[in-house]
Amino acid sequence: MQEHLALMDECNIEWTLLSVSSPQPYFAGFDEEAVTMCRHLNESMAEVKAKYPKRFKFQACLPLPNIEAAIDEAIYALDVLKADGVKFASNSRGLYLGAKELNPLMAELNQRCTICNIHPHRPEPIKEGIFTSGPVPLYEFLADTTRAILNLISNGVILRYPKISWIIPHCGSFLPNIYDRFDGLSKILIPKGLMQDVDIKKSVAKLYFDLSGNPAPHLLDWLLTITAPDKIMYGADFPFTPAALVKNNLNKLLIMLDRKDLAPYKEQILYKNAEKLFSSH
């Protein structure tokens, strides 16, 4: 914790949003243990927030794919522990965001105006021997996040539950790259009944994006082709991104944000957008 606080001070970061990354605490055959583990993790993060109320917020983890237990944990975490939202895996043992089974949970989160963050999870199955089945953060994480986003949009979840705010990680993953194709194909798929009639542009406009991972000028430029500067937020991905790399990435981002076209939005992207989003919930 002291290392985390020291890094925040060195990088002039006022507060950090805590959440559980990968692997997710959802193990086949261990449903009761998953429920207990999520409760322990959420209460532990709540203790950190209570100890450092100006430095840490946290988002709850849920024992999916156990829907009933996930609803119970979400209500407890948000109403009792005062969590600052919920962190979802892109999939939980094959149950993807956007699945109809999650509608009762989404209804509870919508009622509470919940901020939901997505973190990629390993998809199953991945054929053994393929290079990306090993270092999954290289490709599979980005692909699985994108798969979850497309599922949320195409099943109408984002517009059906408008009080939920979604944060998409890693510069939008592959969404900026395939947005035009997704929008174009929808005009073929919807009339054939192969996709719900959903407003893709309106759905994407509601999304927030963080710059965690390895931000680069071309990634930020691509992201800005599908969203506005007031929907983009800085993210560090610490401690899985080592402190030295966090500082290096931040320095690169600061240089990018000094560009003439981005300078007017520098403070928004660095902290004001996040401050506005979380202070409104």
Side-chain angles (χ1 to χ4, degrees):
M1 185 56 62
Q2 294 309 312
E3 180 185 358
H4 197 153
L5 289 167
L7 176 64
M8 291 166 64
D9 290 338
E10 189 172 352
C11 295
N12 196 29
I13 295 172
E14 183 177 341
W15 58 267
T16 289
L17 181 66
L18 300 175
S19 66
V20 177
S21 180
S22 293
Q24 309 296 330
Y26 324 135
F27 305 110
F30 295 92
D31 285 357
E32 290 185 10
E33 289 83 353
V35 171
T36 301
M37 184 178 295
C38 286
R39 175 62 57 90
H40 171 71
L41 289 168
N42 291 334
E43 290 182 337
S44 296
M45 288 188 287
E47 288 175 5
V48 173
K49 178 182 176 180
K51 186 175 181 179
Y52 302 99
K54 294 184 178 181
R55 306 307 304 273
F56 291 101
K57 301 180 187 296
F58 80 98
Q59 289 190 308
C61 61
L62 307 179
L64 289 167
N66 186 331
I67 307 294
E68 185 176 341
I71 291 173
D72 289 343
E73 188 61 27
I75 292 172
Y76 175 75
L78 294 167
D79 294 358
V80 179
L81 298 180
K82 303 303 179 183
D84 301 282
V86 168
K87 199 298 304 289
F88 281 102
S90 51
N91 83 87
S92 303
R93 278 189 250 152
L95 178 67
Y96 275 86
L97 289 172
K100 64 180 184 300
E101 293 89 339
L102 292 169
N103 285 344
L105 173 58
M106 294 300 143
E108 292 288 347
L109 300 181
N110 189 68
Q111 181 180 330
R112 289 165 173 78
C113 301
T114 309
I115 301 171
C116 295
N117 217 323
I118 301 174
H119 191 280
H121 189 52
R122 179 187 180 93
E124 295 291 348
I126 304 176
K127 184 174 176 59
E128 292 185 12
I130 298 175
F131 173 65
T132 55
S133 70
V136 289
L138 173 67
Y139 173 81
E140 297 297 345
F141 272 10
L142 298 177
D144 213 56
T145 299
T146 306
R147 188 175 294 114
I149 301 166
L150 297 183
N151 214 41
L152 281 168
I153 295 171
S154 63
N155 289 325
V157 173
I158 293 170
L159 298 182
R160 189 160 62 250
Y161 303 103
K163 295 180 181 179
I164 298 176
S165 298
W166 293 96
I167 302 175
I168 313 304
H170 306 133
C171 300
S173 297
F174 293 148
L175 185 62
N177 307 63
I178 67 169
Y179 172 81
D180 288 333
R181 181 174 177 81
F182 182 37
D183 187 45
L185 279 175
S186 71
K187 295 173 175 58
I188 300 173
L189 299 176
I190 291 172
K192 293 183 177 182
L194 299 175
M195 179 179 166
Q196 287 188 29
D197 188 359
V198 63
D199 190 328
I200 293 175
K201 184 176 181 180
K202 187 175 180 180
S203 297
V204 172
K206 285 183 60 62
L207 300 175
Y208 290 84
F209 300 86
D210 77 36
L211 301 179
S212 58
N214 189 27
H218 60 277
L219 293 179
L220 184 53
D221 288 339
W222 284 341
L223 182 56
L224 284 166
T225 65
I226 67 168
T227 193
D230 64 351
K231 296 289 188 177
I232 301 175
M233 298 178 289
Y234 169 70
D237 233 354
F238 180 79
F240 290 96
T241 300
L245 189 53
V246 168
K247 288 182 279 189
N248 184 58
N249 286 343
L250 178 57
N251 287 333
K252 288 196 299 183
L253 177 62
L254 291 173
I255 292 171
M256 281 189 269
L257 295 178
D258 281 332
R259 272 176 20 189
K260 185 176 181 180
D261 59 324
L262 294 175
Y265 311 110
K266 183 176 181 178
E267 290 184 347
Q268 275 186 280
I269 292 172
L270 287 175
Y271 68 93
K272 285 186 176 180
N273 290 338
E275 188 178 66
K276 181 178 180 181
L277 175 62
F278 283 89
S279 65
S280 65
H281 285 67

